[in-house]
Amino acid sequence: MGNAFTLIELLVVIAIIAILAAMLLPALAKAKESGKRVACLNNVRQLSLAVHMYVDDSQGFYPPRSTTNRWPSLLYETYGRSAKLLLCPSEPGAAPLSDGLSSSNNVADAAPRSYFINGWNDYFASQHPDTDTLGLNAGDAMRETAILHASETAVFGEKMTGKGDFYMDLNEGEWGNDFGGVLNQSSHSSTPTDRASGTGSGGSNYALADGSARYIKFPQVLEPLNMWAISDASRTAYQANY
């Protein structure tokens, strides 16, 4: 009986275990999120490769803007016919929505999705200066050669959970992917509130026009220059609105 634990000693051991667990759990959660961020970056890199294959096969044009057959469907063959690639592992949930657009029967267009593509609004606005919707016309397509700063221009980015937008638009009306409501600049963060708001201490993954993909911390994709814009003037004119 002399070697048995007393109740106080047992409580002390339990308390020590609880303290150690409290110290280790945040580190484990951070490591798990880092793994998800890397997997998500790989998804974005695959989408970048897919869109460049599409451009090469389409006389140098990016996928046209469409309300019925959108980029997930147009690129479906080039990213291995796997709709799972469209969903980031860090995504807590993503309903197959189509905000402001007609629904689609295409498997890829209707699939849960964490990413959206650049809408190239400033380019189309320069082509259609008389429109009041930043030049947004269904079927419009832009040549790859229109991009001036390929290594600093975003092609794909991460969107907010539950938002069904397909295109990242520059302050484009009611259904535009404005900078503070659809674009998620902090989808990979140790703080859940950052991930939910899209702002804060974290960052998100982006595919760039030069074929690279990288993690960019908040708010560097919009400040000091807006990496969703094409022209030099637009990169400073479209300021963050969040």
Side-chain angles (χ1 to χ4, degrees), residues 3-131:
N3 294 327
F5 280 108
T6 66
L7 179 59
I8 294 177
E9 289 173 332
L10 183 60
L11 291 175
V12 169
V13 171
I14 293 174
I16 293 173
I17 292 173
I19 292 171
L20 291 174
M23 294 172 61
L24 290 173
L25 284 177
L28 292 174
K30 186 175 181 180
K32 184 177 181 181
E33 175 54 33
S34 295
K36 290 181 178 180
R37 189 182 84 186
V38 171
C40 179
L41 181 61
N42 184 62
N43 287 356
V44 174
R45 185 174 288 111
Q46 293 300 312
L47 289 176
S48 177
L49 177 61
V51 79
H52 276 84
M53 292 173 64
Y54 179 95
V55 168
D56 289 343
D57 291 338
S58 303
Q59 292 75 52
F61 283 94
Y62 278 97
R65 193 180 184 98
S66 173
T67 57
T68 56
N69 192 29
R70 308 177 185 101
W71 67 264
S73 177
L74 293 175
L75 302 181
Y76 193 49
E77 298 292 335
T78 54
Y79 60 75
R81 299 176 62 86
S82 174
K84 292 181 179 179
L85 187 75
L86 301 174
L87 195 62
C88 175
S90 294
E91 188 75 70
L97 305 175
S98 300
D99 285 354
L101 300 170
S102 58
S103 60
S104 174
N105 292 324
N106 294 325
V107 173
D109 283 356
R113 177 174 39 81
S114 302
Y115 315 109
F116 54 5
I117 199 170
N118 197 326
W120 314 120
N121 296 115
D122 61 320
Y123 170 81
F124 292 128
S126 70
Q127 304 302 301
H128 309 288
D130 297 329
T131 66

Side-chain angles (χ1 to χ4, degrees), residues 137-213:
N137 294 311
D140 273 346
M142 187 191 75
R143 282 191 180 275
E144 185 180 34
T145 53
I147 298 175
L148 302 177
H149 308 284
S151 64
E152 297 297 326
T153 300
V155 177
F156 287 102
E158 298 187 67
K159 61 182 181 61
M160 300 293 290
T161 298
K163 296 294 184 178
D165 304 66
F166 287 85
Y167 305 97
M168 168 61 197
D169 295 322
L170 299 175
N171 286 349
E172 182 265 319
E174 180 182 3
W175 297 112
N177 304 341
D178 57 2
F179 311 134
V182 180
L183 174 63
N184 193 337
Q185 296 188 78
S186 191
S187 60
H188 301 281
S189 172
S190 58
T191 305
T193 54
D194 287 355
R195 185 181 296 116
S197 67
T199 62
S201 59
S204 291
N205 292 314
Y206 301 87
L208 305 177
D210 65 351
S212 65

